[in-house]
Amino acid sequence: MAKCKTDCIERPLSLAFQKLGSVVGRYPYVFLLLPLFVAAALGAGFIFLQEREANDIEDQFTPVNGPAKLERVIVVENFPPSEEFSQLRLTSDGTYGSLIITGLHEENILTEAAFIEILELDRRVKNITTGNTFENLCAKTKGNCLSNPILDIINYNATQIVSLAITYPMNDGMFLGTSIGGVQLKPDSAEISSAKAVRLFYFLDEEKTMENSEWLNGFLQLLSNYTQQKTVHVSYFTSVSRQNEFETNADSVIPLFSVTYFLAITISILSCLRLDVVRTKVWVAAFGVVSAGLAVLASFGLLLFCGMPFAITVATAPFLILGVGVDDMFIMISCWQKTEVDKAIEVRLAETYKEAGVSITITTLTDVLAFYIGLLTPFRSVQSFCMYTSTALLFCYVFNITFFGACLAFNGRREKGNRHWLTCMRVPEATGDAKGCYVGGAYDKNTRKEFEMPMDSFFKNYYGPFLTRVWVKVLVCLIYAGYLAVSIYGCFQIQEGLDLKHLAADGSYVADYYDNEDEFFSDFGPNVMLVTKDEHFQYWNPTARESLDLCLENFQNLTMADSDLPPISWLHVYEQFGMNSGFDVDNETQFKSHLTAFLNYSGFSQDVNFTNNQIHASRMFVQTVNIRTAIDEKNMLNAFRETADECGKLQTPVDLIVYHPAFIYFDQYAVIITNTIQNIIVATCAMLVISLLLIPNPLCSLWVTFAIASVIVGVAGFMALWDVSLDSVSMINLVICIGFSVDFSAHISYAFVSSEKSSANEKAIDAITKLGYPIVQGAVSTIAGVVVLAAAKSYIFRTFFKIMFLVILFGAIHGIVFIPVFLTFLSTCGQTCSNSHEENKENLRSSTNEPQAETDMSNSRTRIVEAHTDPDCY
């Protein structure tokens, strides 16, 4: 039975807290002012906030060292930018403005009236002047600005759009898949019958950074003031729009923070409000919220001083800290109210710290550990959030045992002097004859403690007995089975990846453009670059060329590749050129001697790195089709990379990489699930170790692990049903899920096993009596901290609210419904340790010779539960 005695860590820790409480109670001014000075000093770090802001979308929301980033380095090294612009060969998104023009009510856009307006809009865009004209800034090909194919076809004459026969997707060698959308073809023909959208691009020379920025601002200003016409609807976008809209997201939540602060203070005050004008804890509750605010100020300031990047995801952290921070405050107030009112302040505070210190240490440890494990993720936005939040929780813990402890001491002095909570004037002591608003200070004369609040009677007399009835248990099991079934179903519906349009605020012009792009231009996906990077590949060797052709054929046979459009291959054209020119492409000398002239003549000069009479690398292109969803993007990326790997296993290996600028963002699909699972497993194992230290029965520790897994499955499943994808934002919350699951499940499990009641049902009722209302209180205070984010206009912040709501809701339901019922099915789990619990108490009595009441209080496990669960202040 000795195995259940696990106070070797808790007992010395609680004694250390007892000494700290005594010091804080003796010198409250020091512990009040010192944290204020520290917070003010560290808060000065906010002067670096603007400098530390890290809002680059690629840097924050794509995997660090993702494969596509490494592939891009290879492409840039081998194919540096050329003076001749080519959209196909861009290694980045480029610098551009874009328009999607659609017919009203999805009418045919290929009409004379529509193109009169399109040509007028094109003229106005090209006439934008912001110190430089479009003609001076545009990306050029053969000395001319890159034009739009559809306008070239009609020769900028609107009347020709009706008379010309335009084929799709190729028309006289021009690819129209990205220029015309929503196309209907004539029967048994490639000729366009009608179309619903036209897209225009205005590319700029990327080297003219400053001038380009001014022109793009002028472009946005023109289109934002553009009056929609009767014939067409215009949506617009620039290469900097997504970034600009993303950076404004954080500003939208700043007003919500004040609302959250008000909610936190209000809930805290109402929770600790008493009718007794002396015993009420109004000021203590208010300063508990202030303590959490100071923790945010100090921790964020410190990390800003240290140069830690401040990602937009960190803007959600203060909402969470306020909700979590007040939970520790409630524990300390609860323990304070259990002390005898006529003892010295330092003695009462010492007893409070002795009771509460270990409990808030354990809850802080589980939450902080969960966040620090989040640093293992390859997304900088997650790393930044986890670092700021975990550090803020640590500061919240420190400020609670210093600043808030001092506030408790000052409040204790006021109570000891029987002073009014608002005026601080002495009032008569409340007696049976003297009652009203001007008397106070009543307490239980038998226990010498404050009167208990009646809220726990509901859980003890009504809810607990109700929950332990046989038919209710059966009903709970059926409900749990339904919860699990829906959750598992939802898990199979999870969508992966962060949709880039979600980085913009609701109602943004960016979302309108993306919606039109998805609707009308999804028939054709990226034109993927196939780069042969083997310097020793013998292009003149027929066997090597056969391997390369077989490799290209494998790509062409993929379901997401366009089998009707042949790959763009310089080598195929060169072979034809050799046949027409009468030289032998199988001869190395002749192959190389004619290559330079061919590349300059054919326009393929950007596709072959031919220097010092050696081909260092070359590239070809394969057009993809029907890339409409995140799953399509994931499947395409995996299929192309797997095919590239297979090319390296041919008889004559072809060392290939595949690349497109969009792959930078598609890389998240390759790591998001594996990293989420990795973090969950690591964190769950860590929480299991902590619960083994906290709960003296290994079987019940497994119940804690079961609760963690159950809550995670529930949150993952229901978030999918709530239209939340698995991305770097939701990954943060799944890690948070683990810490909060422990908070709810560990204490209810231990309350059950440590109960001295005889039957399993009585143990469950006892645990619910101690924990029922505190669990509800903690859940409400945490949700109140994030509920205002539901009104945010940003997907990131709404996602944070949705998952936090699910985490807290399911965690609380497990704590006060599922776990108590399931524990009654394993009564031995409680009985074994309950017997040991009695032995431990007898051993403590014999060793310390303390009175019965004091011995019971000295049991470290009882301290943890009572400190965290006593609902006196509620």
Side-chain angles (χ1 to χ4, degrees):
M1 297 301 181
K3 65 181 180 181
C4 282
K5 183 176 180 181
T6 58
D7 60 355
C8 57
I9 297 176
E10 299 157 25
R11 185 171 180 80
L13 189 58
S14 64
L15 292 176
F17 273 111
Q18 183 179 18
K19 293 179 181 178
L20 175 61
S22 179
V23 174
V24 173
R26 193 175 297 117
Y27 307 107
Y29 284 104
V30 174
F31 289 92
L32 181 74
L33 297 177
L34 185 60
L36 288 175
F37 286 129
V38 170
L42 294 180
F46 273 87
I47 63 176
F48 298 107
L49 178 59
Q50 189 171 1
E51 181 181 334
R52 303 284 190 259
E53 285 183 347
N55 292 329
D56 183 82
I57 294 174
E58 179 184 315
D59 181 58
Q60 294 297 313
F61 292 94
T62 61
V64 178
N65 296 325
K69 292 180 180 178
L70 303 178
E71 291 157 0
R72 179 172 59 186
V73 172
I74 295 173
V75 173
V76 172
E77 285 179 352
N78 285 283
F79 309 102
S82 170
E83 293 182 0
E84 292 295 309
F85 179 82
S86 171
Q87 182 180 356
L88 176 69
R89 294 166 175 83
L90 285 172
T91 56
S92 65
D93 290 335
T95 304
Y96 64 90
S98 179
L99 305 174
I100 293 180
I101 304 101
T102 58
L104 295 182
H105 313 297
E106 297 191 1
E107 298 170 351
N108 181 21
I109 193 69
L110 303 181
T111 64
E112 182 178 345
F115 266 79
I116 288 174
E117 294 186 15
I118 292 173
L119 289 172
E120 172 60 21
L121 190 56
D122 176 72
R123 184 191 63 81
R124 293 175 63 180
V125 168
K126 291 179 178 178
N127 286 338
I128 293 174
T129 54
T130 54
N132 267 291
T133 63
F134 176 75
E135 187 72 24
N136 292 333
L137 299 176
C138 67
K140 292 182 169 61
T141 300
K142 298 180 179 178
N144 297 316
C145 291
L146 184 70
S147 57
N148 286 287
I150 183 62
L151 300 185
D152 287 340
I153 290 172
I154 64 171
N155 199 25
Y156 291 81
N157 184 345
T159 60
Q160 293 194 34
I161 193 64
V162 180
S163 59
L164 285 178
I166 303 175
T167 56
Y168 185 87
M170 298 298 296
N171 185 85
D172 292 335
M174 288 188 290
F175 180 67
L176 300 180
T178 57
S179 299
I180 307 177
V183 173
Q184 291 289 329
L185 300 179
K186 292 181 178 180
D188 301 322
S189 171
E191 185 179 336
I192 297 178
S193 171
S194 66
K196 295 181 179 178
V198 168
R199 177 159 57 177
L200 306 180
F201 284 102
Y202 301 91
F203 280 95
L204 306 178
D205 186 346
E206 291 192 74
E207 294 183 359
K208 301 173 182 177
T209 308
M210 184 64 67
E211 297 91 336
N212 288 348
S213 178
E214 294 174 354
W215 191 90
L216 291 175
N217 288 335
F219 177 87
L220 292 174
Q221 185 176 0
L222 169 67
L223 273 300
S224 62
N225 296 328
Y226 179 75
T227 303
Q228 298 292 348
Q229 304 298 312
K230 296 180 180 179
T231 309
V232 298
H233 170 80
V234 179
S235 57
Y236 56 98
F237 184 81
T238 73
S239 52
V240 298
S241 291
R242 190 170 55 220
Q243 185 67 45
N244 291 344
E245 290 293 293
F246 175 69
E247 290 176 359
T248 60
N249 273 342
D251 299 335
S252 66
V253 299
I254 292 176
L256 300 179
F257 188 74
S258 58
V259 177
T260 300
Y261 213 79
F262 172 78
L263 276 176
I265 291 178
T266 302
I267 291 174
S268 300
I269 289 176
L270 291 177
S271 298
C272 296
L273 189 65
R274 287 175 179 261
L275 297 179
D276 190 308
V277 297
V278 173
R279 301 298 177 195
T280 189
K281 303 294 189 292
V282 173
W283 290 116
V284 174
F287 277 103
V289 179
V290 170
S291 177
L294 291 175
V296 172
L297 178 68
S299 59
F300 281 27
L302 174 63
L303 291 174
L304 289 170
F305 268 127
C306 295
M308 185 69 189
F310 189 94
I312 191 172
T313 48
V314 179
T316 60
F319 297 92
L320 179 63
I321 301 304
L322 278 179
V324 175
V326 296
D327 288 350
D328 289 347
M329 173 196 74
F330 290 138
I331 296 171
M332 294 184 68
I333 292 177
S334 170
C335 294
W336 170 268
Q337 292 178 145
K338 287 167 53 183
T339 61
E340 297 180 10
V341 298
D342 51 3
K343 286 185 178 180
I345 300 302
E346 54 264 34
V347 175
R348 293 186 69 184
L349 204 60
E351 292 179 0
T352 298
Y353 274 49
K354 184 180 180 182
E355 298 294 323
V358 175
S359 181
I360 65 174
T361 298
I362 290 172
T363 55
T364 300
L365 180 62
T366 56
D367 291 338
V368 169
L369 188 59
F371 282 112
Y372 276 129
I373 289 173
L375 296 174
L376 298 175
T377 64
F379 296 94
R380 296 194 192 278
S381 57
V382 178
Q383 295 172 355
S384 182
F385 174 85
C386 289
M387 177 59 77
Y388 274 91
T389 307
S390 54
T391 307
L393 286 172
L394 285 176
F395 270 82
C396 205
Y397 169 73
V398 172
F399 275 58
N400 266 322
I401 61 177
T402 55
F403 175 81
F404 181 70
C407 294
L408 266 179
F410 282 117
N411 187 72
R413 292 184 180 184
R414 180 188 62 77
E415 291 183 7
K416 196 171 186 65
N418 219 62
R419 297 179 180 275
H420 195 281
W421 70 272
L422 182 60
T423 64
C424 284
M425 300 294 292
R426 289 184 180 274
V427 297
E429 184 176 341
T431 63
D433 300 326
K435 295 181 179 179
C437 296
Y438 300 102
V439 296
Y443 60 92
D444 191 323
K445 302 297 182 181
N446 296 322
T447 62
R448 314 298 295 174
K449 300 175 183 178
E450 297 182 29
F451 286 112
E452 292 185 353
M453 297 290 282
M455 190 63 196
D456 59 331
S457 64
F458 166 76
F459 290 94
K460 181 177 182 180
N461 300 325
Y462 300 99
Y463 180 75
F466 172 78
L467 190 65
T468 52
R469 293 178 182 176
V470 174
W471 69 270
V472 176
K473 290 183 184 180
V474 173
L475 180 61
V476 167
C477 291
L478 291 175
I479 293 173
Y480 181 77
Y483 157 82
L484 202 59
V486 174
S487 300
I488 293 174
Y489 169 78
C491 288
F492 286 100
Q493 309 303 312
I494 290 179
Q495 299 292 320
E496 299 173 51
L498 180 64
D499 192 332
L500 294 179
K501 72 179 180 182
H502 287 154
L503 297 177
D506 297 344
S508 166
Y509 68 89
V510 171
D512 186 32
Y513 181 90
Y514 273 126
D515 288 340
N516 285 327
E517 184 179 49
D518 291 341
E519 182 177 359
F520 301 117
F521 294 94
S522 296
D523 289 342
F524 292 92
N527 207 323
V528 180
M529 193 182 301
L530 313 180
V531 179
T532 306
K533 59 188 180 72
D534 185 0
E535 294 184 352
H536 305 291
F537 188 81
Q538 299 178 349
Y539 295 89
W540 51 88
N541 187 318
T543 305
R545 288 204 305 273
E546 286 178 9
S547 289
L548 185 55
D549 287 340
L550 179 59
C551 182
L552 283 176
E553 185 179 343
N554 291 339
F555 279 106
Q556 199 71 9
N557 289 336
L558 294 173
T559 57
M560 63 283 300
D562 191 342
S563 57
D564 295 328
L565 290 177
I568 299 176
S569 170
W570 68 272
L571 187 56
H572 289 169
V573 179
Y574 189 48
E575 289 179 280
Q576 188 65 42
F577 176 77
M579 292 176 59
N580 295 338
S581 301
F583 68 86
D584 186 6
V585 292
D586 296 340
N587 181 280
E588 178 180 357
T589 303
Q590 293 190 41
F591 186 99
K592 290 182 177 180
S593 63
H594 292 86
L595 183 57
T596 301
F598 162 77
L599 293 176
N600 292 331
Y601 157 78
S602 62
F604 285 109
S605 59
Q606 298 183 50
D607 294 337
V608 183
N609 182 353
F610 182 54
T611 54
N612 298 325
N613 204 39
Q614 183 176 2
I615 301 176
H616 297 279
S618 71
R619 59 183 172 185
M620 303 170 189
F621 301 88
V622 172
Q623 178 66 54
T624 60
V625 291
N626 299 323
I627 310 299
R628 305 178 186 278
T629 66
I631 294 176
D632 294 334
E633 294 170 349
K634 174 186 176 182
N635 292 339
M636 178 194 69
L637 181 66
N638 291 338
F640 269 75
R641 285 184 174 160
E642 289 170 5
T643 305
D645 291 339
E646 291 298 321
C647 290
K649 300 175 183 177
L650 296 174
Q651 185 174 2
T652 302
V654 181
D655 189 4
L656 268 181
I657 62 170
V658 294
Y659 177 74
H660 187 275
F663 287 3
I664 300 290
Y665 300 97
F666 295 174
D667 267 345
Q668 59 182 309
Y669 305 129
V671 299
I672 193 75
I673 287 184
T674 55
N675 274 270
T676 301
I677 294 174
Q678 167 193 300
N679 291 343
I680 288 175
I681 291 175
V682 172
T684 302
C685 292
M687 298 306 126
L688 176 60
V689 172
I690 293 174
S691 64
L692 284 170
L693 296 175
L694 173 65
I695 304 175
N697 189 290
L699 183 59
C700 291
S701 294
L702 293 177
W703 273 108
V704 174
T705 309
F706 158 78
I708 293 174
S710 179
V711 173
I712 289 174
V713 171
V715 172
F718 277 82
M719 82 176 193
L721 300 177
W722 206 352
D723 295 327
V724 176
S725 300
L726 180 59
D727 51 42
S728 57
V729 177
S730 52
M731 179 194 285
I732 294 172
N733 298 277
L734 288 176
V735 174
I736 296 172
C737 179
I738 299 167
F740 285 107
S741 300
V742 173
D743 286 352
F744 290 124
S745 58
H747 291 294
I748 196 74
S749 298
Y750 181 74
F752 182 91
V753 302
S754 64
S755 173
E756 299 177 23
K757 303 296 182 181
S758 57
S759 71
N761 283 348
E762 289 175 339
K763 289 175 181 292
I765 294 173
D766 190 37
I768 292 170
T769 300
K770 293 176 180 178
L771 276 164
Y773 187 64
I775 284 179
V776 173
Q777 178 65 30
V780 170
S781 64
T782 305
I783 290 177
V786 298
V787 69
V788 294
L789 293 178
K793 295 182 179 181
S794 168
Y795 166 85
I796 291 175
F797 299 121
R798 283 199 309 275
T799 295
F800 188 83
F801 159 73
K802 287 180 179 181
I803 301 186
M804 281 305 304
F805 177 81
L806 292 176
V807 167
I808 301 303
L809 177 65
F810 291 155
I813 290 175
H814 276 72
I816 62 176
V817 180
F818 295 145
I819 297 297
V821 168
F822 295 158
L823 286 173
T824 62
F825 299 144
L826 295 172
S827 57
T828 54
C829 174
Q831 190 63 43
T832 301
C833 201
S834 181
N835 295 336
S836 178
H837 182 76
E838 291 297 326
E839 287 186 13
N840 288 343
K841 288 170 64 179
E842 290 299 326
N843 292 338
L844 284 169
R845 289 193 196 103
S846 62
S847 62
T848 61
N849 296 317
E850 291 179 337
Q852 174 71 33
E854 291 299 318
T855 304
D856 289 345
M857 292 291 290
S858 70
N859 186 279
S860 60
R861 285 299 176 190
T862 305
R863 284 199 303 271
I864 294 174
V865 176
E866 290 181 348
H868 194 68
T869 62
D870 194 296
D872 284 348
C873 84
Y874 311 116

